[in-house]
Amino acid sequence: MVSLVEEGFEGEFCEGVGSTLASGKLSDNGELDDDGKPRRTGTVWTASAHIITAIIGSGVLSLAWAMAQMGWIAGIATLLIFSFITLYTSGFLADSYRSPDPVTGKRNYTYMEAVKANLGGNMYKLCGLVQYTYMGGLAVGYTITSAICIVALLKSNCFYKRGHGAPCKYSSNPYMIGMGVVEIVLSQIPNLHEMSWLSFLASLMSFGYASIGIGLALAKIISGKRERSTLTGVEIGVDLSQADKIWTMLRAIGDMAFACSYAGVLIEIQDTLKSSPPENKVMKKANTIAILTSTAFYVMCGCLGYAALGNRAPGNLLTDFGFSEPFWLIDIANIFVVLHLIGAYQVLSQPVLNVVETWAIARWPKSKFVTNEYPISIGKQKLNISVNLLRLTWRSAYVVIVTVIAMVLPFFNDILALLGAIGYWPMAVYFPVEMHIAQKKIQRQTVKWFCLQLMNLICLIVSIAAACGAIQGLDHSLQTHKLFKF
């Protein structure tokens, strides 16, 4: 491949995940890519693994509850519509990795850079605010879910030994702290390029617990012990007012939107791919594989879970004891959830972590605190590990902040709904659509322009409604919540 880096190029700063670009021509031994960076080695399968790690997460556990709030018709339709929109707009993002031409243009290393290249500086700043808020929120959600799963595991064993009437009560706060300690260690991995092994492990875990949830639901259906389900979901009555029904439906929409959200890391994942074949074509294949796979699991988890547990489906399929036997299998599923979320936390936090470090390198390029790497050795044996003081302090502080917020707001369904409402429309719909319009130079008031803007508007209205439902749920939960209870 002919290098696009011209002679005399001194290097330029890339805001986001990228760092200062190396200058010079492509080396004869092919160790550098067309931008002077080390040659990327990602394939359609590594990209698919990263995407599945990001997309199949804690959201799958709430889908049976979401189906129960909406019923068969609205629930299935909403889930499929969100998945289709995600697949459609992810193609726009894949094309925006390079600009102005999606095959030969200049690389955009992050989602924010793609927005800046196609939509300008103001949109770039807005995108950064939304993206990093959303990704920080995801880390909070994953911390909450991991702790809930550990507590469920402890309760399951307690009930098995002492009976279901036993007072088996555990606080999730110590396990959130434990999750934070693990993430501080893992966060020292410098970047996403070195995390393929973690993504593959996390992907296997996600398939594992989703499959166990599907299997438990199917077994209950086959045994004839299924609960009652309806076309319209939970019915209005003595225990549920019409207003409460509307609020829970809105939160359910937010949960489904959250389950289908991963756009915020798509560009970063695409930046791990080989240059040939063209990255956008490979990424579109990876998107299709990952989204079809995740949607199949979502439909099975949501539908089979609802069919088995009916209108009483719990907020979390595995932790609220919708299924209580066999306890050992539920324990395994919860262990899988924790292992998956440990990996997903890192994949989704890397853009946030790297943007601060890249800014610091550009601001203080001669600072030893910022730039020096200190190799770690055991005796005379040098390990392939180094410590950077900025990375150590900043990433540790980030994890601590996330952990404290999770301990303050440990509400599973409400947090997922709010994250889905905040992240889905801007990251998965608005920015991809606007970048596509700019890149393809689609004229205003044409049929295609109107169709894209109509999709934009509908998704915005749905997101606002879901956010209102989530905020109402958080307000209700906070009235009885005791902070930092151990």
Side-chain angles (χ1 to χ4, degrees), residues 80-296:
L80 292 179
I81 289 170
F82 277 131
S83 296
F84 172 77
I85 292 173
T86 300
L87 179 59
Y88 181 57
T89 58
S90 66
F92 299 163
L93 280 176
D95 286 336
S96 66
Y97 171 65
R98 288 182 182 265
S99 58
D101 186 270
V103 176
T104 61
K106 177 183 175 295
R107 294 176 188 268
N108 298 306
Y109 300 100
T110 68
Y111 193 111
M112 287 177 63
E113 284 185 31
V115 170
K116 186 175 185 179
N118 290 282
L119 301 178
N122 290 332
M123 286 295 184
Y124 162 80
K125 294 175 183 177
L126 178 61
C127 174
L129 177 63
V130 173
Q131 183 182 14
Y132 297 133
T133 300
Y134 177 62
M135 289 182 175
L138 287 176
V140 172
Y142 288 173
T143 302
I144 293 169
T145 309
S146 297
I148 288 174
C149 288
I150 295 172
V151 168
L153 191 152
L154 296 173
K155 284 184 178 180
S156 174
N157 286 276
C158 177
F159 290 146
Y160 177 74
K161 293 177 181 178
R162 301 169 59 186
H164 281 276
C168 299
K169 295 183 179 180
Y170 300 89
S171 170
S172 61
N173 287 332
Y175 307 103
M176 291 187 194
I177 294 172
M179 175 74 168
V181 172
V182 171
E183 295 300 347
I184 285 174
V185 174
L186 288 177
S187 69
Q188 299 309 307
I189 299 173
N191 55 58
L192 196 61
H193 301 273
E194 300 177 31
M195 286 190 177
S196 293
W197 64 272
L198 191 60
S199 284
F200 275 117
L201 175 63
S203 296
L204 290 175
M205 296 300 101
S206 65
F207 279 117
Y209 69 73
S211 298
I212 289 172
I214 291 169
L216 290 170
L218 191 58
K220 187 164 186 175
I221 293 169
I222 293 172
S223 70
K225 298 179 181 179
R226 57 184 294 178
E227 302 291 337
R228 179 172 176 269
S229 60
T230 57
L231 287 177
T232 57
V234 179
E235 296 169 317
I236 297 171
V238 177
D239 298 327
L240 184 71
S241 68
Q242 186 173 5
D244 288 338
K245 169 74 172 179
I246 294 173
W247 287 123
T248 56
M249 285 184 67
L250 293 178
R251 290 200 291 276
I253 291 172
D255 283 359
M256 289 186 175
F258 173 80
C260 297
S261 299
Y262 81 100
V265 293
L266 190 150
I267 299 292
E268 283 82 354
I269 292 172
Q270 192 166 343
D271 191 45
T272 68
L273 295 175
K274 296 177 182 178
S275 300
S276 181
E279 301 93 348
N280 64 328
K281 293 183 179 180
V282 175
M283 197 63 188
K284 288 177 182 179
K285 291 179 182 178
N287 284 326
T288 302
I289 292 169
I291 293 175
L292 290 180
T293 301
S294 61
T295 301

Side-chain angles (χ1 to χ4, degrees), residues 335-354:
I335 291 170
F336 284 175
V337 174
V338 173
L339 292 176
H340 170 253
L341 294 182
I342 286 173
Y345 185 115
Q346 288 302 315
V347 171
L348 291 166
S349 293
Q350 282 295 317
V352 184
L353 299 172
N354 277 296

Side-chain angles (χ1 to χ4, degrees), residues 326-340:
F327 84 97
W328 58 268
L329 187 60
I330 297 170
D331 286 353
I332 291 173
N334 280 308
I335 291 170
F336 284 175
V337 174
V338 173
L339 292 176
H340 170 253

Side-chain angles (χ1 to χ4, degrees), residues 443-462:
Q443 297 296 316
R444 293 174 64 88
Q445 299 183 357
T446 60
V447 173
K448 186 172 184 179
W449 183 88
F450 271 117
C451 290
L452 290 172
Q453 296 299 351
L454 179 62
M455 180 177 70
N456 233 338
L457 178 61
I458 293 172
C459 290
L460 171 61
I461 293 171
V462 170

